[in-house]
Amino acid sequence: MAHERGVLEAVTEARKQAIAAGADVAMRATAENILGMSLRSLFATIEGYPQLHASENMLGLQEELSSTENRIAFARQHYNDSVMVYNTAVATVPGNVVAGVFAFKPEVLFAADAADRPPVAVKI
């Protein structure tokens, strides 16, 4: 029971950190990666309880979390595409002239390191 409590507390804490990350892209990426890993741990823990896994509420939660992960992935891709367009405009003529006058700087892409996304071991 202590392990399950720890998993739920980790998910709750990771969610709070992701919300509190604010506009800093690097902090937000790190917080959301931690949240994703803690959710995977939650799913792995649920697998150990067949009666919980088959619950209608749990199935709805899993579907909602999967849907949320997909929306986050889409938003990351949209953000990175927009940043690439912006960075290209800042680096090419005539955008670089305007960027120099107004001190526009290239932005950082929203990315995760491969080390931040280790595979989750699920015991069945």
Side-chain angles (χ1 to χ4, degrees), residues 84-108:
M84 284 179 41
V85 168
Y86 170 79
N87 286 345
T88 301
V90 167
T92 57
V93 176
N96 62 352
V97 174
V98 174
V101 171
F102 292 105
F104 293 154
K105 304 282 186 224
E107 290 295 324
V108 179

Side-chain angles (χ1 to χ4, degrees), residues 39 42-43 60-70:
L39 287 174
L42 175 64
F43 287 147
L61 174 64
Q62 286 179 326
E63 177 62 33
E64 183 64 30
L65 290 174
S66 296
S67 175
T68 301
E69 276 190 347
N70 290 337

Side-chain angles (χ1 to χ4, degrees), residues 12 19 67 72 91 115:
T12 304
I19 291 170
S67 175
I72 289 171

Side-chain angles (χ1 to χ4, degrees), residues 21-35:
D24 184 14
V25 175
M27 280 181 55
R28 176 157 280 196
T30 301
E32 288 185 5
N33 288 332
I34 292 170
L35 177 59

Side-chain angles (χ1 to χ4, degrees), residues 71-94:
R71 287 191 305 263
I72 289 171
F74 177 77
R76 282 182 185 160
Q77 185 62 45
H78 176 69
Y79 175 83
N80 284 340
D81 290 344
S82 299
V83 167
M84 284 179 41
V85 168
Y86 170 79
N87 286 345
T88 301
V90 167
T92 57
V93 176

